[in-house]
Amino acid sequence: MFVAIGRASHEEAASLGGFLTTAWPFLAGLGVGWGLLRAWRRPEGVWPVGVGVWVSTVTAGMLLRVLAGQGTALAFVIVACVFLGAALLGWRLVARLVSARAVSFTDRTG
């Protein structure tokens, strides 16, 4: 979604190749984070898994963009940090709240 919105806002082609060119550094960073943190063991965890995956996605993604000759303007870095933080931490926070409510409900009715 981040890539599609960004490419559209800069009037870049909506081609699959363009999408992949923009997305691959962040997908690779996401993979690095999942591997290093073994996130499959507790994928819903906010700390340290969610935060670690977020940081690795942004860091590795930006480094790979530099190596690939793609831009890393400050505004892009800020927007990427905010969007990826919301995407990678947001669902985990929602899952935590839903789980806490379910436990609370079970405690009251059980």
Side-chain angles (χ1 to χ4, degrees), residues 89-101:
L89 297 175
W91 73 267
R92 288 174 167 92
L93 292 168
V94 169
R96 177 185 244 177
L97 290 172
V98 169
S99 177
R101 286 185 183 256

Side-chain angles (χ1 to χ4, degrees), residues 2-85:
F2 169 67
V3 172
I5 292 169
R7 291 187 64 79
S9 71
H10 294 287
E11 299 177 9
E12 294 175 337
S15 68
L16 179 60
F19 182 87
L20 292 174
T21 297
T22 304
W24 79 264
F26 298 103
L27 294 173
L30 179 68
V32 167
W34 269 75
L36 289 174
L37 293 158
R38 295 181 285 187
W40 58 87
R41 292 182 169 186
R42 195 167 163 249
E44 76 287 350
V46 175
W47 177 261
V49 173
V51 172
V53 168
W54 173 39
V55 169
S56 85
T57 300
V58 171
T59 303
M62 291 301 170
L63 288 173
L64 290 169
R65 281 184 63 86
V66 168
L67 292 173
Q70 298 180 25
T72 55
L74 180 60
F76 178 77
V77 173
I78 292 168
V79 170
C81 285
V82 171
F83 182 88
L84 291 170

